[in-house]
Amino acid sequence: MHRLLLLDCLWLLAASPASSIFQRPTGTPAPPRLQYLLEPLHPTVHTQRGATATLPCVLRTLPHNYRVKWSKVEPANYREDVIIITNGLYHKNYGPLSPRVRLRHSHRYDASLTITDVALEDEGRYRCQLVNGLEDESISLTLHLEGVVFPYQPSNGRYKFNYHEAKQACEQQDSRLATYQQLYKAWTEGLDWCNAGWILDGTVHYPIINSREPCGGRLLLPGVRTYGARDKQKDRFDAFCFTSALQGQVYFIRGHLNFKEAGQACRSHGAAIAKVGQLYSAWKFSQLDRCDGGWLADGSVRYPIAVPRERCGGLPDPGVRSFGFPSKEMRTYGTYCFVG
């Protein structure tokens, strides 16, 4: 009798309408139930280029025949790249990160990932997945590099890069194409630029602080304005590049040098002529402040201002000022050198 009553109750529960007490409110996702992995206290890890960073992943318990797999999520390419797999006793590294990653393993429940000599391309989302048959679960963490975004265009004018050329141009200047999050953060910190540029995911944007006629009109609100995804081969724009801290020093050599002499002056001091990204990094992280225009590796002439003043361009905000791309034969400027 009791067994029949129990079966009746289970049938009623299974057949109960959508208004049953077990229904989750519409639009409310099921909360993740982590049985084996601890939820990270801080899902974003902040670091700089050249540093050592650890992404935490700690187990509550050690299930039988488990594995932990670390991977990097690449949303722009719709893929996950495996970095390391471990069963607690042995591990194997994979991919280009292989020489710079290891498991922290400070205790037997610790599967945290340590990345040494952090590079610009390491920024992004990572997944720690416990593989245990039907009970797989995972956590996601973000590695965030502190840095600076700068707009970049070549010597022959604006809107000359397709996506691949923009990507290469940033890499040649000791930087990489910025992500949308990096560009948005730069806008909140004051980046105001009227020319549209490529970012890493293949979309095109421009950040506006002060609405004005040549930049969409005065009626449009400030913001990061977007052209959306564009044809990576055919469409042409500028680039927004991102760089982080330097492992080295940028310094200035006075003189009235042409471009060739500028390079020779740096080499005579055991250095190389600085790249645009290196000058921005020195301005951002070392507060490099000089009122002197100097040659850079791309043939442009720029100078970094940390403390704005009337006789150094007259602009009210700090920044890296540019004289553009003067004739390389001009003997007017000094040079900025980089030594690692």
Side-chain angles (χ1 to χ4, degrees):
M1 183 68 176
H2 292 295
R3 186 177 178 184
L4 289 173
L5 285 173
L6 178 59
L7 289 172
D8 287 343
C9 290
L10 290 174
W11 183 87
L12 286 170
L13 287 173
S16 59
S19 59
S20 91
I21 60 171
F22 295 100
Q23 184 194 16
R24 187 173 295 106
T26 303
T28 304
R33 296 181 60 190
L34 294 177
Q35 297 180 15
Y36 299 108
L37 297 176
L38 287 174
E39 195 73 42
L41 187 61
H42 301 291
T44 300
V45 175
H46 297 264
T47 188
Q48 293 180 354
R49 179 169 54 176
T52 296
T54 297
L55 299 167
C57 185
V58 178
L59 282 66
R60 300 175 188 271
T61 185
L62 303 178
H64 293 293
N65 300 320
Y66 79 95
R67 289 179 296 153
V68 170
K69 179 177 73 173
W70 275 100
S71 55
K72 189 170 190 289
V73 181
E74 301 287 358
N77 302 320
Y78 303 101
R79 71 171 194 263
E80 279 193 30
D81 295 330
V82 177
I83 299 170
I84 193 168
I85 297 177
T86 180
N87 63 1
L89 296 175
Y90 306 99
H91 69 272
K92 185 173 182 179
N93 293 16
Y94 298 86
L97 268 174
S98 180
R100 297 189 288 113
V101 295
R102 58 180 171 81
L103 294 170
R104 182 174 64 180
H105 212 35
S106 58
H107 51 79
R108 68 195 188 107
Y109 298 101
D110 185 12
S112 303
L113 182 73
T114 295
I115 305 173
T116 60
D117 193 19
V118 170
L120 294 176
E121 59 270 20
D122 295 343
E123 174 156 303
R125 191 155 63 93
Y126 291 76
R127 189 191 311 278
C128 176
Q129 181 179 14
L130 183 132
V131 182
N132 183 36
L134 298 176
E135 298 181 297
D136 296 358
E137 58 187 43
S138 65
I139 58 172
S140 292
L141 301 110
T142 299
L143 186 66
H144 172 76
L145 270 68
E146 301 294 341
V148 57
V149 171
F150 60 94
Y152 188 75
Q153 58 183 222
S155 59
N156 57 341
R158 73 173 196 159
Y159 293 176
K160 301 297 183 182
F161 294 136
N162 68 23
Y163 172 81
H164 306 287
E165 292 164 345
K167 186 172 183 290
Q168 184 180 30
C170 288
E171 291 167 357
Q172 288 173 344
Q173 296 308 314
D174 192 52
S175 59
R176 71 182 303 222
L177 279 175
T179 65
Y180 181 81
Q181 290 78 10
Q182 289 164 347
L183 181 62
Y184 184 88
K185 183 173 184 289
W187 169 71
T188 66
E189 294 171 349
L191 181 60
D192 183 275
W193 196 254
C194 204
N195 293 349
W198 293 102
I199 63 171
L200 187 61
D201 64 2
T203 57
V204 175
H205 308 267
Y206 64 104
I208 294 296
I209 298 288
N210 302 306
S211 299
R212 50 203 185 272
E213 287 304 327
C215 304
R218 297 180 182 276
L219 298 180
L220 283 180
L221 294 174
V224 179
R225 297 175 184 166
T226 180
Y227 288 7
R230 311 299 290 192
D231 189 309
K232 292 183 178 181
Q233 294 287 353
K234 296 179 181 178
D235 290 328
R236 295 189 172 271
F237 298 95
D238 291 347
F240 286 104
C241 304
F242 171 83
T243 192
S244 186
L246 286 173
Q247 292 183 294
Q249 180 187 6
V250 173
Y251 62 93
F252 182 74
I253 294 179
R254 289 183 179 276
H256 297 282
L257 310 171
N258 63 29
F259 177 72
K260 183 178 180 180
E261 292 166 343
Q264 292 170 342
C266 291
R267 289 191 293 273
S268 69
H269 285 76
I273 189 168
K275 299 177 180 180
V276 177
Q278 291 167 341
L279 185 66
Y280 269 93
S281 180
W283 165 75
K284 174 75 173 180
F285 291 99
S286 303
Q287 296 297 296
L288 184 62
D289 183 281
R290 287 207 69 100
C291 213
D292 307 280
W295 291 103
L296 296 176
D298 66 340
S300 65
V301 172
R302 306 174 194 249
Y303 62 102
I305 296 297
V307 181
R309 47 211 186 268
E310 189 62 35
R311 293 186 178 182
C312 294
L315 296 176
D317 300 314
V320 175
R321 319 279 196 241
S322 175
F323 288 123
F325 294 85
S327 167
K328 291 184 176 181
E329 302 305 316
M330 287 184 63
R331 285 190 169 91
T332 306
Y333 306 104
T335 184
Y336 288 96
C337 305
F338 172 74
V339 60

